[in-house]
Amino acid sequence: MPMFSRLICPGAASQFFIAACAIFIIISHTGPAVAEQDSLPAPVDTALREAEAVSDLRVSFTMEFQWMGGLTVVERYDAGRDEWAPVSGDKTALSDNARDNLEKYKQLESAPGGLIYADYRDHLSNVRLTDETADTLTYSFSSPQAPDMDGESPVRTQLIIDKDRQELMLYSVRSLRSFKPGALAKINDLVFRQRFERKIQGAPPLMTHFYWRMKGERMFGAVNKEFSMRFSDFQLEKTGNAQQRLK
């Protein structure tokens, strides 16, 4: 699910709206699906359908995790063995919070379909074209976790689609002002970005970059979180239903 949802609300990542409620508040991992689903623009629909067709895709990859601009930990996931192995960095030197996030995202992104956008559809509504270039189409969308205030959304949302290949390149949410995703939480600063690239021939684009920054307040105190992840060295697991559908 889009990671924004995963991050913002308690829930469960259906997988890309990092879905539980988003901002999880941004407290967890999954956001509520949109009750009445708008029909999506054809390029967005085409991109999502490709990923949905192989929603259980399994790949091996290397993940680089950096917390608050500090220590970087690199680990390798082997999809065939369903095992992680350290590459560099000492995760025992991370704070408890950082280590908890590392382990959470290792579990999320190594799950079948974890690095593709197969579960974003139910978390997108009011998708509208805002810009077009020779190569890309940029859309905005509504987020139930960031309701409009005085007729204006407190966040800027973007989906960027490659015009020729009809695939998602960027998913982004950025706050324009403070807002309250719930009665007991306030977001003062929010940046959430996911970048995707087609790295394996015949497979949908895979997430290559993830960035999350949030500052705010919740019932039990202040929230200040910033981390990034980079994914590389992808290898398709040779067995599984999704792999068969790629042939």
Side-chain angles (χ1 to χ4, degrees), residues 211-227:
Y211 177 75
W212 170 259
R213 184 179 78 228
M214 186 185 70
K215 295 180 181 180
E217 305 156 26
R218 60 183 178 188
M219 186 175 184
F220 302 108
V223 176
N224 183 7
K225 179 181 291 190
E226 181 180 14
F227 65 96

Side-chain angles (χ1 to χ4, degrees), residues 135-146:
D135 302 315
T136 64
L137 298 164
T138 299
Y139 297 88
S140 65
F141 60 91
S142 295
S143 169
Q145 287 79 32

Side-chain angles (χ1 to χ4, degrees), residues 29 72 79 115:
H29 236 230
T72 297
L115 291 179

Side-chain angles (χ1 to χ4, degrees), residues 69-104:
L71 178 65
T72 297
V73 173
V74 181
E75 297 197 20
R76 175 75 182 173
Y77 176 68
D78 185 324
R81 297 180 179 181
D82 190 23
E83 292 179 352
W84 286 88
V87 176
S88 64
D90 180 9
K91 67 180 181 182
T92 64
L94 294 170
S95 66
D96 290 346
N97 190 13
R99 195 160 51 248
D100 287 348
N101 276 269
L102 169 63
E103 296 304 323
K104 176 172 67 175

